[in-house]
Each structure stands twice: as structure tokens, then as C-alpha cells.
Amino acid sequence: MPHSNDGRVSEGLKDTNSINDDLAKRSRAIRAQLGLSQTDVARALHVTRGFISNVENGRVNMSMRLMIYYARLMNVSLDEIAGLTDKEYLSTSLDHAIMEEVSKLSLQQKQNLLDSLRGPQEAT
């Protein structure tokens, strides 16, 4: 006897398949952008190259724990891997990362950076 939520379940499965496909594409793109081979990633994560290939082709999913290690390795957030980073968060995150790097500079380096960002000034 069919349940009343059968339609919702099948819709949920479609959404999950789409998310898995997107995750596969994003993980492949992130790895390629960093110039890493599947073997490089597999060694760093202590898995086989075949497992990484299967992830990137959407045949298997990484566990949450492995996904966390993958994100750290690639220097990205889990949201970015999942494709859930909204523009406001990305902007705030980028601002924070810039400020963190600027805080490490000497006073003279900060002044030089500020001068570079402002560009040529008109003589007054």
C-alpha cells in the first residue's frame, strides 16, 4: 500500500542526485584548479586513487569526516564544496581573510599596501 509521502520521497531523491552530481563536479574542479592529481589527493587523504575517481564521477560519496579533510587539503569550506556558499557569506569571509593577512604586515608594509590600493594621487 503506497504511503502519502511517496511523491516527496522521490523528489528528495532527485534533489540528492543533483547534489551528488554537483559535489562530484566541484570536487574535480577544485582539485584541477590546484593542479593536483587524483593520486596526490588520494595519498594525502589515505584513500585509493580509484576512490577519488569514483567520488569525482559521482559513483560514491565521501563521508563527512573525509569531506572535512578534503576541504582542509583544498583550503576551501565545506559550503564551497557543496555549492552552498551564498554571496554575502563569501564576501564576509573574503573580507575576514584579507584582514587577517593585513594584520600580519608591518606598519610600513601596511602603508605601502594602502598606497598601492589608492593608486596615484593627484598633487594638491
Side-chain angles (χ1 to χ4, degrees), residues 14 27-28 30-31 39 60 63 65 72 76 97 112-113 124:
K14 289 178 191 173
S27 61
R28 184 180 325 114
I30 291 168
R31 177 188 56 75
T39 301
V60 299
S63 68
R65 183 177 188 171
R72 286 181 185 163
V76 297
N112 292 344
L113 177 60
T124 55

Side-chain angles (χ1 to χ4, degrees), residues 73-84:
L73 175 67
M74 300 299 174
N75 198 29
V76 297
S77 70
L78 289 173
D79 283 351
E80 189 171 342
I81 294 170
L84 302 173

Side-chain angles (χ1 to χ4, degrees), residues 46-87:
H46 303 287
V47 297
T48 66
R49 190 207 59 78
F51 177 80
I52 297 301
S53 175
N54 284 335
V55 167
E56 291 184 358
N57 288 298
R59 291 187 288 266
V60 299
N61 291 315
M62 287 186 262
S63 68
M64 181 56 75
R65 183 177 188 171
L66 193 56
M67 201 177 299
I68 290 168
Y69 292 141
Y70 181 87
R72 286 181 185 163
L73 175 67
M74 300 299 174
N75 198 29
V76 297
S77 70
L78 289 173
D79 283 351
E80 189 171 342
I81 294 170
L84 302 173
T85 306
D86 64 22
K87 290 179 182 175

